[in-house]
Every structure is written in C-alpha cells, then in structure tokens.
C-alpha cells in the first residue's frame, strides 16, 4: 500500500486502473522529501481560555531541529474553538475539525473572552525531549480537547505538496471513514495511562503523518474545479498521471511524446493542460524538480557532484553545474560546503 493511501481508495478498481490514481503524484512527491512528524500536545481547556503558538522558526528548534519547514496543525477532539493567524479571518472549529497552518505562521486559538494566555513555556522541557505534553487549563466553562502536532520537511516541499496551500485552512476529518479511523486511533493512543512508554511516541508520529496526508486528500477532494496549482494538477485524471510519472522516475530522459503516451493523453492536451494548471511546461517542471532533488543529495549524501548529476538525469557534470547555478546562485560544490557549514553553526 502506498504511504498515506486511504483504505476506501485502495478497495476501488480506479486505484489500480492503469497503474495510477490521483494519489500517486502526492505519494511520489512525499517519498522524495525527508519527513518528520509528531503529536506533541494533548490539551484540555475549559472556557474561557486562549493559547498562542509562535511561528515555525521558534517552534522548530525545539520540536524538530532538522526540519527546514514546519507545518503546524491542531485537531479538535471535543468542544469548540476559534483559530486565527494575522491577516486572515477567524476560523470557527468544532469537534472533528483539524486546522492547519502550512507555512507555520504564528497563531492563536481560544474559546471565550480572556486576556490570559496559557503558559506554553512550561511545556518546553517535555517538547525538547520529544514527549507528548498533557495539560488541563482555563476557567470553569465548556471543555475543549485539542491534540497538536506538526509535519517537518525539507524546504523543497514548497514546490510540490505544500504549494498553493493557504496560510490557514480547516478540514473535518470525520467526513471520511479513514479520517474517522485515524482520529479514533489517536484518541486511543493519547488516552493511554503511560503515553510515554516504549514505542508509543513512534506510533503517534506515524499517526500524525497519516492524519496530515488524509487532511491533504480531503482538501484536494474539496478543491473547486477552477483551482490551479500543484494539488489541482495532482487531482487531474490525466495530468496527475504525468506528474506522478515525473516524480516516480525523474532521472529518465523524458520526452513529451513519451510522457503523453504513458499518461494516456495527447502531447497537445498534456502541454496545454499542464501549463494551465502549473504555469509551466512538464519538462520545465521536471528540470526544477531534478535540481531540488540534487540539492537534497548534495546535503544528505557524500556522493560526488558527477554522481549526483547522473542520479537526477544529467549526462554531464558541466551541464548540471550550469543549471544548478542558475537555480541556486552558486555551483553545486559550494552549495554543499555552505549548507554543511550552516548545519554545524546551527548545532
């Protein structure tokens, strides 16, 4: 089963028809990105209450130091709440809603009127140890139960499955059988008498990632037909197949006729629809994606520059270096040195 695939989709014949489903592009894109995830806070708040979460650059060093991007999310298990990030309308939440902040922006959540903020700093020792923090706080009113988590990833996810997401959005996970099952599993895990016991945090981490994938799937399902961008492209019956093929085998010497044939469409339709949805041609997108993959290999492996060039589909180091410099402003070897130096300084 592909990572993150939903059970009800696996059972449908369309999932296997032609070897692809609309989820394949998402699956392949996520496979190419190093992901970390966790559920880190189990909160029970009695109205009135309010808590604030700082931006990702403040949160990441504590909960996921190796992540370049941090997606923050909160799942409302019981009760109601309101969420807000600067510059956007308030979002009303009820039980089963997950509110997501794809850019990791600072935000607030509350129920009732109070100027007193939950003292989140007292969670830092547990968060730094990778534990699930649990707190009860607030007044004497209605209770809201919230589970908070994150998905950490590399920066180049901005060019694929994080592309085009609004700074804040909500999905009710109970609207799908898979989402309801994931929520039930999370509730069970966090209600354990000893949630820190061996293996429990690993299970919660997998559930956090699965919850995020399911949320993206529901978001894609609800996209208006006129929407453009990466997720809209992944959903398109034919162009989504082309996108999945490029992600599955980026080093292949793709031509437009080959890509069109294996996507089951014409070259004209492929190019026109891809440009309409993505704003660039399939081969232009592939060129950018190859360079993003190369940048990752340069910083995560010791492979020589020439080997990295071959890995992502270039036939010569010179051609690869020219393309890499156009994209990142520096040649590959210097990029590797500078990124490693930055990592050392961060430690």
């Amino acid at each position: 089963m592909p990572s993150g695939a939903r059970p009800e989709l696996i059972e449908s014949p369309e999932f296997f028809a032609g070897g692809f489903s609309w989820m394949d592009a998402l699956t392949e894109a996520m496979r190419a990105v190093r992901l970390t995830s966790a559920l880190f806070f189990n909160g029970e708040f009695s109205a009135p209450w309010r808590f604030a979460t700082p931006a990702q650059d403040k949160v990441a060093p504590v909960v996921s130091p190796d992540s370049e991007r941090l997606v923050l999310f909160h799942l409302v298990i019981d009760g109601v709440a309101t969420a807000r990030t600067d510059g956007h309308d308030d979002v009303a939440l009820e039980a089963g809603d997950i509110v997501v902040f794809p850019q990791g922006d600072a935000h607030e959540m509350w129920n009732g009127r109070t100027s007193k903020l939950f003292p989140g700093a007292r969670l830092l020792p547990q968060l730094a140890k990778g534990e699930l923090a649990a707190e009860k706080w607030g007044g004497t009113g209605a209770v809201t139960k919230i589970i908070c988590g994150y998905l950490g990833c590399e920066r180049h996810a901005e060019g694929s499955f994080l592309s085009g997401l609004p700074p804040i959005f909500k999905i009710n996970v109970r609207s799908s059988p898979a989402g309801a099952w994931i929520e039930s599993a999370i509730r069970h895990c966090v209600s354990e008498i000893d949630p820190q016991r061996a293996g429990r945090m690993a299970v919660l981490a997998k559930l956090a990632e699965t919850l995020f994938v399911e949320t993206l799937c529901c978001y894609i399902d609800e996209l208006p037909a006129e929407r453009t961008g990466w997720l809209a492209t992944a959903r398109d019956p034919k162009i989504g197949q082309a996108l999945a093929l490029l992600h599955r085998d980026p080093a292949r010497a793709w031509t437009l006729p080959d890509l069109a044939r294996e996507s089951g469409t014409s070259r004209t339709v492929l190019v026109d629809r891809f440009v309409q949805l993505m704003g660039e041609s399939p081969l232009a997108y592939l060129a950018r994606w190859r360079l993003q993959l190369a940048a990752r290999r340069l910083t995560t492996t010791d492979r020589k520059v020439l080997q990295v060039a071959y890995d992502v589909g270039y036939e010569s180091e010179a051609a690869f270096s020219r393309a890499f410099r156009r994209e990142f402003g520096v040649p590959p070897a210097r990029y590797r040195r500078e990124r490693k130096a930055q990592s050392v300084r961060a430690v």
Side-chain angles (χ1 to χ4, degrees):
M1 180 185 298
S3 173
R6 294 187 286 177
E8 71 271 21
L9 289 178
I10 294 297
E11 295 172 359
S12 68
E14 289 81 3
F15 186 88
F16 293 105
F20 287 96
S21 78
W22 66 264
M23 285 188 64
D24 278 291
L26 177 60
T27 300
E28 296 299 333
M30 295 191 78
R31 281 176 179 166
V33 177
R34 181 178 57 81
L35 300 174
T36 59
S37 55
L39 298 175
F40 61 84
F41 180 50
N42 180 20
E44 183 175 315
F45 298 100
S46 300
W49 57 269
R50 178 182 293 265
F51 76 77
T53 302
Q56 62 166 346
D57 60 340
K58 300 292 193 304
V59 178
V62 178
V63 301
S64 186
D66 294 331
S67 295
E68 295 177 325
R69 280 289 308 273
L70 207 64
V71 177
L72 300 168
F73 57 82
H74 308 288
L75 174 64
V76 179
I77 297 295
D78 289 307
V80 297
T82 304
R84 179 176 61 202
T85 187
D86 285 348
H88 298 274
D89 294 337
D90 294 354
V91 176
L93 304 170
E94 60 184 23
D97 282 342
I98 179 172
V99 60
V100 184
F101 300 86
Q103 299 169 20
D105 293 328
H107 56 273
E108 292 187 354
M109 291 182 67
W110 69 90
N111 185 26
R113 293 187 176 183
T114 179
S115 59
K116 188 177 181 181
L117 283 175
F118 170 71
R122 69 189 190 191
L123 304 178
L124 292 178
Q126 286 178 278
L127 299 183
K129 290 188 290 185
E131 295 179 351
L132 176 68
E135 292 278 353
K136 294 183 179 181
W137 195 80
T140 59
V143 172
T144 301
K145 296 180 181 180
I146 300 173
I147 296 175
C148 307
Y150 70 81
L151 182 86
C153 56
E154 295 160 302
R155 186 171 288 110
H156 68 260
E158 297 171 356
S160 55
F161 60 88
L162 295 184
S163 175
L165 289 172
I168 178 174
F169 71 91
K170 73 171 181 177
I171 292 291
N172 192 287
V173 297
R174 295 178 186 176
S175 63
S176 72
W181 178 88
I182 295 166
E183 183 195 356
S184 177
I186 289 172
R187 295 180 72 149
H188 171 74
C189 285
V190 301
S191 66
E192 288 285 323
I193 295 175
D194 182 12
Q196 315 301 348
R197 75 178 188 180
R200 183 62 58 193
M201 294 308 295
V203 172
L204 287 174
K206 288 299 182 183
L207 285 172
E209 182 178 335
T210 306
L211 177 63
F212 178 76
V213 172
E214 177 62 20
T215 301
L216 271 189
C217 290
C218 292
Y219 182 83
I220 292 173
D221 286 341
E222 297 177 7
L223 280 176
E226 68 276 8
R227 185 67 61 86
T228 60
W230 197 95
L231 293 174
T233 305
R235 183 185 61 177
D236 189 277
K238 295 299 183 182
I239 310 307
Q241 291 187 22
L243 190 63
L245 285 164
L246 295 178
H247 278 270
R248 178 172 292 185
D249 193 4
R252 177 173 166 179
W254 286 104
T255 65
L256 288 175
D258 288 342
L259 189 59
R261 181 176 62 254
E262 296 198 25
S263 301
T265 188
S266 70
R267 174 177 171 176
T268 300
V269 170
L270 171 65
V271 174
D272 290 349
R273 183 68 175 152
F274 204 100
V275 171
Q276 178 186 358
L277 289 170
M278 291 286 286
E280 62 184 337
S281 71
L283 297 187
Y285 176 83
L286 174 62
R288 284 197 305 106
W289 180 243
R290 284 174 169 173
L291 292 173
Q292 294 292 339
L293 293 177
R296 182 190 184 199
R297 283 174 168 78
L298 288 169
T299 56
T300 60
T301 73
D302 293 324
R303 294 178 69 77
K304 296 182 182 298
V305 172
L306 179 59
Q307 292 173 319
V308 171
Y310 289 157
D311 288 345
V312 299
Y314 282 84
E315 297 181 353
S316 75
E317 183 175 346
F320 168 65
S321 295
R322 287 194 298 270
F324 193 93
R325 184 162 192 159
R326 284 196 300 270
E327 181 72 12
F328 294 97
V330 295
R334 181 177 169 185
Y335 179 88
R336 168 180 273 168
R337 289 195 303 271
E338 291 179 349
R339 292 304 298 272
K340 287 187 175 182
Q342 288 175 6
S343 298
V344 170
R345 287 195 298 270
V347 174

